[in-house]
Amino acid sequence: MRQNDLLAYAEAIPIIVWRADPHGLIDYHNAAWYEYTGLGVAESRGTGWTAAIHPDDQDHALSRWIDSIHLGGPYEVELRLLGRCGQYRWFLVRGRPLSLDGAIAAWYGTATDIETQKRAAEALSVAKNRAELLAEAERIFERSFATPHVIADLATLAIESFATFCYFDSVDENGEVTRRAAMHRDPDWQRRFDNAGPDELPWRRRRLAERALATGEARFIGPIDEAWLSRNDIDRAQAADMRTLEINTLMAVPLIARNRSFGVVTFGRSGSSPPFTPDDFTTAKELGRRAAATLENAHIYAESRDNERRAAAIADAVPQIFWTARADGTPDWYNLRWYEYTGQTTASATVGAWEAAQHPRDWPDMQSEWKRSLASGKPFEMSHRLRGTDGVYRWFLTRVVPQRADDASVARWYGATTNVDAERRATLQLAFFAELGQRLTSLPTLDATLNAVVESLVPNFADWAMVELNDEGQTYVAAADHAAPGPRRELRALIGRRSADGTALAIGDEAMRSGRPGIVYSERPAPGAGAAGFTSAVAVPLVVDTAVRGVLTLAMVETAGAFSDSDLPFVQEIARRIAPALARAEIYERERRIAQTFQNAVLPRRLPEIPGLRFDALYEPGKAEALVGGDWFDAFRLADGRLVLTIGDVVGSGLAAATAMGEVRQSIRGAAAINPDPAVLLDAADRILAEGEGDRYATAWVGIVDPIDFSLRYAVAGHPHPMVRNPNGSVREIEGEGLPLGLAGTLAHRRSTYNTFIEPGSLLLLFTDGLIESARDALRDEALLAAALGASRASPHATARELRDAVLGSEAAHDDVAILLVEFADRLTECGNVRAKRWNFDVTDAEQAMLSRRALADELLAGGMNAESVLVAEMITAELLGNVVRYAGGQVDVILDCSADVPVIHIIDSGSGFEYNPRLPTDAYAESGRGLYIVAQLAREFTIARAPGGGSHVRVVLETRRSANADVAQRRE
């Protein structure tokens, strides 16, 4: 470069450049300094520049600067500089003396903004791996221009995260090998190294380093044990050293760049540290290659003497890619780093060289942004991928600033392109694993788990991804995703499809058989491959409890994204994290199927058919719950024609909850056949839960409806209150109190039975809490449900589905939802039902009473009952009416209900009521107390209860025997 070009370059590049006189007083800053600090020229001259240094960094920075001036050595320090915005940012300040005729003529240096690197290093310090180790080494090499710095920093990094100890042996021009550095992770060993004499460990014997230099090839030695020591030509002193250090593996890497040998770096592991692996050997060689390149660049820099050579040496020595472009944006110069990375030559670096190295997916966006900068004259900044000599694309950050002409137009562009691949990939992978971990713990089902995996991988890490599982000798696609819409539909159409021919790709079959990952390449997607076409693919087995359960396949369609061996650890880690989730999901699926089967078996398959009443119900399992819950509903008729309604929710989920639900439901049904009192039914279920193993609890509501008068008797066990939509559209709750089931014996509690009436034209809604707690806002959901129930008056027949959707919409409920809806249209005797008859008269009207008995008998005969059974029914009716005459008086209702399986006679009076003694009187000659006893013996069931409006309500379930003519008629039908 010419002197003028050099000054123009210094003013244009986006980093700070400075110069000082031999005494260290600053006499020049480029424009980047003034733009960042806001200081004036006079303020920055001499020692004035130190005012911009952070107070905590001043002593250290100035002390190092004074030492460099006195010793004539290079200056390098990290410090914080105050910007014009009032914020401090980290900079790396470097300086070197320019010597003429043996004396320092001036100092030249740079200050590079490393704020981003600082923050990235802090964020990634906890996740050390091969990529991060190389990234850290790259940062070391960026700020090192002399062999001692390179080696010392490399050795420190190695013992921190890679090796137990590290040696460096230099070689001079005569080929003489000298051990220059020895570092050990253990402080005691390090002190021993530091105090050792020239003929003591570790300074004696450098045979391994000498052999590596002689061949120019890196050497891997191990595992080192007594057998290895006896098998190889190792003298006693060297063998003793190896035993003392407990060495298990060694790697010696020669540092050679441009046919120049700088020495050998040796890495060792000892004691309990795991031996080096082939991957570690690859890492060591890459570290050696980069260290050698840095040492070579430093050597070139040291040999630079004039301005042109110094400018070229500086540009080529830094690890960044520097380049310039004409005003129209066409690149016309690259530094050495560009050619080293891309493999291009100065002859091939034509107008299309920049585009040729770009990733095809990044180029359209980059071209668009570059054109925008060219049009506006504003600086350019973008992250993108460049193809290296190994064919791998890595992430770079490019910043370009314009140089202005006198007329303010853009004269040239100056760019710096920095390798940020390690940070970018580490950040993406860390973010991916964080998101994946959250998804795997929150999604219980197998389908949801595997879909989350493939959707997280595409398109950030692959063009398409697929999970295939092995089930009883057949392979099926469990999840798949593709970056392109068309192929995505094609791949997802394969989900669930079974095949005995193996996986979609041959490499998947190999991974399934061997249990090892693999990579396969193709020049172009195979014809006919469709959505499963690829140019590179990696397959890793999914291992559950030492058995290969399936395979995860990732593929790239374009050659630009080809997988390499460096991608295997990442994909293997994905498979390792999937495996436990896969096992959990399969266990969940099995238990869910069992629980659902059991639950479906105990839920009612159909609801009763009762004139004047209409039923609708819904059960929906929760999607976000781990397993099927214990929600239930039930509706059944008693022998006396009354209707039992139950709904409830067992605490917990899975088979245990479903089993407990079945026990509670059956206990209520069994108890209802003996004593149909709602409180008694809940007490029976309470004892069933309390006597079982473990702590089992449930909420429940039980109601008994009489279709004759729509009276409702109910009891509550901690369950949400049912709602009733009245005929006028208003909505009320059926309130009540009671502890949840399962607490019998733990708390003193007396459960109550409540009474109410349901008006004809009303709608009764029973539901479980899954309906009103899905959004974790029960008050809001209750209000939505009440509003929907009230609005249902406009609909001829409201449905459970409509009410469910009014609260939950199209979203799935988090918890199970059970809904039972009962529409009260007309009372049994008022709905025009020919199977229910009613006679009302004054009980003292003997003639009307006789006519009513005869009409009742005629109805029974017409219904097919034989004459003997009809006679018994008449006797029962006469006895009951006589009882009403004796104890009640006034109006009486005689009702015959034939809507159930057997006829039921109801006698309802308005008197003071009477009681039934199930035993004969003790006086054998007594004239009272026998009639009701005889009725009880003649009937199948006989009950007397207080009527809700006063008086008594007698129910008699008749024993029936059909007449022969009725049987013949039924057979003919």
Side-chain angles (χ1 to χ4, degrees):
M1 278 190 177
R2 298 187 302 275
Q3 184 69 28
N4 290 339
D5 288 340
L6 182 62
L7 290 175
Y9 188 85
E11 288 298 322
I13 60 176
I15 60 175
I16 296 171
V17 178
W18 55 269
R19 184 179 64 202
D21 64 18
H23 304 292
L25 298 177
I26 303 297
D27 58 11
Y28 169 76
H29 283 108
N30 71 342
W33 166 267
Y34 300 110
E35 181 179 349
Y36 174 75
T37 64
L39 297 175
V41 175
E43 295 175 280
S44 304
R45 293 291 176 88
T47 60
W49 66 280
T50 60
I53 302 176
H54 192 286
D56 294 343
D57 302 335
Q58 284 191 359
D59 291 344
H60 174 66
L62 294 177
S63 175
R64 293 286 298 274
W65 181 227
I66 292 172
D67 290 344
S68 293
I69 294 171
H70 288 169
L71 299 175
Y75 174 67
E76 182 174 321
V77 68
E78 290 183 1
L79 49 78
R80 285 164 287 183
L81 291 177
L82 180 64
R84 65 169 62 231
C85 63
Q87 300 293 323
Y88 284 94
R89 292 180 67 86
W90 280 99
F91 281 79
L92 171 63
V93 181
R94 297 178 179 136
R96 283 190 170 279
L98 173 62
S99 299
L100 296 177
D101 300 327
I104 295 176
W107 292 81
Y108 289 90
T110 61
T112 304
D113 186 330
I114 59 171
E115 179 73 16
T116 301
Q117 293 91 324
K118 274 283 192 180
R119 299 306 174 212
E122 292 172 2
L124 299 174
S125 62
V126 296
K128 290 287 176 94
N129 53 31
R130 177 175 180 269
E132 292 167 333
L133 178 65
L134 295 176
E136 183 65 20
E138 191 72 19
R139 283 191 286 272
I140 289 172
F141 300 151
E142 284 179 12
R143 61 175 183 262
S144 300
F145 282 84
T147 300
H149 293 162
V150 174
I151 299 307
D153 289 346
L154 177 60
T156 300
L157 174 64
I159 65 172
E160 284 178 352
S161 59
F162 187 60
T164 309
F165 60 90
C166 180
Y167 302 149
F168 172 67
D169 302 288
S170 68
V171 58
D172 60 18
E173 295 179 354
N174 298 321
E176 182 67 22
V177 178
T178 305
R179 181 150 293 171
R180 299 293 186 185
M183 300 191 72
H184 200 288
R185 182 182 299 171
D186 188 328
D188 293 334
W189 270 105
Q190 186 60 53
R191 284 191 290 273
R192 185 170 175 179
F193 281 8
D194 295 340
N195 297 327
D199 294 326
E200 295 179 313
L201 179 74
W203 308 108
R204 66 186 177 208
R205 293 178 181 83
R206 297 168 296 278
R207 295 180 58 183
L208 179 60
E210 291 168 351
R211 291 177 180 176
L213 283 172
T215 62
E217 299 289 335
R219 299 198 64 199
F220 183 98
I221 298 177
I224 298 174
D225 51 22
E226 289 298 325
W228 186 90
L229 292 174
S230 61
R231 190 169 60 247
N232 290 271
D233 183 19
I234 306 296
D235 59 48
R236 290 185 177 180
Q238 188 174 6
D241 289 348
M242 289 185 166
R243 292 188 182 97
T244 301
L245 277 171
E246 299 180 337
I247 299 173
N248 57 43
T249 42
L250 286 170
M251 298 184 297
V253 181
L255 305 182
I256 301 173
R258 293 184 178 177
N259 297 322
R260 189 193 308 277
S261 178
F262 295 92
V264 176
V265 61
T266 302
F267 305 97
R269 283 187 182 170
S270 60
S272 60
S273 298
F276 288 121
T277 66
D279 286 341
D280 294 327
F281 191 36
T282 301
T283 301
K285 290 188 287 186
E286 179 63 12
L287 283 171
R289 186 192 69 78
R290 297 188 184 191
T294 301
L295 293 175
E296 172 64 10
N297 289 334
H299 181 76
I300 293 174
Y301 175 78
E303 291 181 342
S304 300
R305 289 295 182 265
D306 53 70
N307 289 341
E308 290 184 6
R309 293 190 61 190
R310 181 176 294 110
I314 292 174
D316 288 342
V318 295
Q320 289 175 300
I321 295 172
F322 284 154
W323 53 278
T324 62
R326 294 193 292 267
D328 63 1
T330 304
D332 57 4
W333 174 81
Y334 300 96
N335 69 342
L336 180 62
R337 184 65 171 167
W338 168 266
Y339 301 108
E340 288 181 343
Y341 178 76
T342 64
Q344 297 178 5
T345 64
T346 54
S348 64
T350 58
V351 173
W354 179 253
E355 178 182 352
Q358 304 296 326
H359 193 289
R361 290 186 181 175
D362 299 339
W363 176 243
D365 290 340
M366 190 168 191
Q367 190 177 33
S368 175
E369 290 299 318
W370 181 227
K371 288 181 178 179
R372 187 176 289 110
S373 289
L374 292 175
S376 65
K378 294 181 178 180
F380 171 91
E381 181 174 325
M382 186 174 181
S383 294
H384 57 101
R385 286 165 288 185
L386 288 177
R387 187 177 190 273
T389 56
D390 55 0
V392 176
Y393 285 85
R394 296 177 180 86
W395 284 98
F396 282 78
L397 173 63
T398 291
R399 294 188 179 104
V400 191
V401 295
Q403 179 193 26
R404 302 286 180 178
D406 293 339
D407 60 357
S409 63
V410 175
R412 296 187 63 76
W413 294 88
Y414 292 87
T417 300
T418 306
N419 188 329
V420 294
D421 189 72
E423 292 87 345
R424 175 83 177 211
R425 289 184 182 274
T427 301
L428 288 175
Q429 291 178 9
L430 287 173
F432 169 79
F433 283 129
E435 179 185 1
L436 180 63
Q438 183 177 5
R439 287 192 173 194
L440 293 182
T441 55
S442 62
L443 299 173
T445 66
L446 182 62
D447 291 345
T449 298
L450 298 181
N451 283 334
V453 171
V454 296
E455 289 171 4
S456 298
L457 288 168
V458 177
N460 289 333
F461 301 98
D463 288 333
W464 62 266
M466 180 181 293
V467 176
E468 296 168 278
L469 299 180
N470 186 22
D471 183 23
E472 299 180 354
Q474 287 189 323
T475 300
Y476 71 94
V477 178
D481 197 19
H482 200 292
R488 181 185 303 127
R489 288 190 294 271
E490 184 178 340
L491 276 187
R492 289 182 176 176
L494 300 177
I495 294 176
R497 186 173 300 176
R498 293 177 174 268
S499 171
D501 299 330
T503 61
L505 302 182
I507 190 174
D509 292 331
E510 178 60 28
M512 293 268 274
R513 283 193 297 268
S514 67
R516 294 190 300 271
I519 300 178
V520 64
Y521 299 96
S522 175
E523 290 187 5
R524 63 184 61 85
F534 67 93
T535 57
S536 66
V538 56
V540 292
L542 300 176
V543 181
V544 178
D545 295 333
T546 72
V548 177
R549 181 68 181 82
V551 63
L552 168 65
T553 303
L554 275 64
M556 286 293 185
V557 178
E558 302 293 339
T559 57
F563 289 111
S564 64
D565 290 341
S566 63
D567 295 306
L568 281 179
F570 170 61
V571 185
Q572 286 178 291
E573 179 62 17
I574 297 173
R576 188 188 69 79
R577 298 194 184 199
I578 292 175
L582 179 63
R584 289 194 303 270
E586 290 183 325
I587 293 173
Y588 159 78
E589 291 289 350
R590 285 196 298 271
E591 186 168 350
R592 184 180 177 90
R593 284 195 298 270
I594 295 171
Q596 275 188 324
T597 301
F598 182 84
Q599 190 175 50
N600 291 336
V602 298
L603 287 175
R605 295 189 177 183
R606 68 176 189 173
L607 297 170
E609 295 181 3
I610 303 175
L613 297 175
R614 187 183 66 84
F615 299 86
D616 191 34
L618 176 145
Y619 173 77
E620 179 179 307
K623 300 300 183 184
E625 288 297 321
L627 294 166
V628 173
D631 292 24
W632 87 88
F633 65 86
D634 200 3
F636 59 93
R637 288 191 85 173
L638 298 172
D640 62 14
R642 284 180 291 176
L643 170 69
V644 179
L645 304 174
T646 71
I647 195 162
D649 182 2
V650 174
V651 175
S653 58
L655 186 58
T659 303
M661 177 268 286
E663 292 178 10
V664 170
R665 179 175 174 272
Q666 293 305 316
S667 70
I668 291 174
R669 277 188 169 244
I674 299 172
N675 186 356
D677 183 291
V680 173
L681 304 188
L682 288 179
D683 286 340
D686 201 348
R687 287 190 291 273
I688 289 294
L689 281 183
E691 292 171 1
E693 294 185 2
D695 295 329
R696 304 190 301 173
Y697 306 101
T699 66
W701 186 93
V702 174
I704 298 180
V705 176
D706 193 336
I708 297 295
D709 57 5
F710 284 176
S711 62
L712 170 64
R713 305 179 72 231
Y714 64 94
V716 186
H719 197 77
H721 295 158
M723 295 182 183
V724 174
R725 187 211 68 203
N726 297 315
N728 61 3
S730 63
V731 176
R732 65 183 175 94
E733 290 187 354
I734 300 182
E735 298 181 347
E737 297 180 351
L739 292 177
L741 305 180
L743 297 175
T746 63
L747 295 171
H749 176 64
R750 184 177 180 84
R751 206 175 303 278
S752 300
T753 293
Y754 300 89
N755 295 281
T756 188
F757 281 93
I758 306 295
E759 295 182 60
S762 298
L763 194 63
L764 173 65
L765 170 64
L766 313 180
F767 57 92
T768 56
D769 58 7
L771 181 62
I772 58 172
E773 295 181 1
S774 185
R776 306 295 189 258
D777 189 347
L779 293 178
R780 181 192 74 92
D781 288 348
E782 280 188 9
L784 288 175
L785 182 59
L789 185 61
S792 67
R793 181 170 177 264
S795 175
H797 296 296
T799 65
R801 169 61 61 182
E802 290 172 350
L803 295 177
R804 178 256 180 234
D805 292 346
V807 178
L808 301 178
S810 60
E811 296 183 4
H814 291 283
D815 195 2
D816 289 8
V817 173
I819 299 175
L820 179 59
L821 199 61
V822 184
E823 181 181 342
F824 290 74
D826 296 292
R827 297 184 181 96
L828 191 62
T829 59
E830 299 171 357
C831 60
N833 176 36
V834 297
R835 305 201 65 190
K837 298 295 183 180
R838 175 177 177 270
W839 298 272
N840 178 264
F841 52 89
D842 190 296
V843 72
T844 60
D845 188 342
E847 181 180 0
Q848 191 62 44
M850 181 187 64
L851 293 174
S852 298
R853 282 201 320 273
R854 290 179 179 176
L856 183 147
D858 291 341
E859 288 290 335
L860 291 175
L861 287 171
M865 183 181 289
N866 65 21
E868 182 181 348
S869 297
V870 171
L871 180 60
V872 170
E874 279 194 271
M875 293 173 55
I876 290 173
T877 305
E879 180 60 38
L880 292 175
L881 288 175
N883 215 56
V884 172
V885 170
R886 287 192 295 274
Y887 297 104
Q891 292 293 312
V892 64
D893 280 325
V894 177
I895 299 173
L896 174 63
D897 177 13
C898 295
S899 65
D901 293 336
V902 293
V904 180
I905 297 174
H906 299 261
I907 306 292
I908 305 173
D909 66 63
S910 56
S912 59
F914 55 89
E915 295 182 355
Y916 162 55
N917 187 346
R919 292 184 297 274
L920 283 171
T922 56
D923 182 0
Y925 298 100
E927 295 184 3
S928 63
R930 301 175 184 274
L932 297 185
Y933 177 80
I934 294 173
V935 168
Q937 300 306 310
L938 294 175
R940 176 184 296 185
E941 289 186 14
F942 172 52
T943 60
I944 300 176
R946 298 293 297 177
S952 300
H953 188 156
V954 178
R955 296 179 178 87
V956 180
V957 181
L958 299 175
E959 289 283 4
T960 61
R961 288 187 294 276
R962 298 179 63 83
S963 66
N965 292 336
D967 291 337
V968 170
Q970 186 177 38
R971 285 194 295 270
R972 288 175 178 174
E973 291 177 359

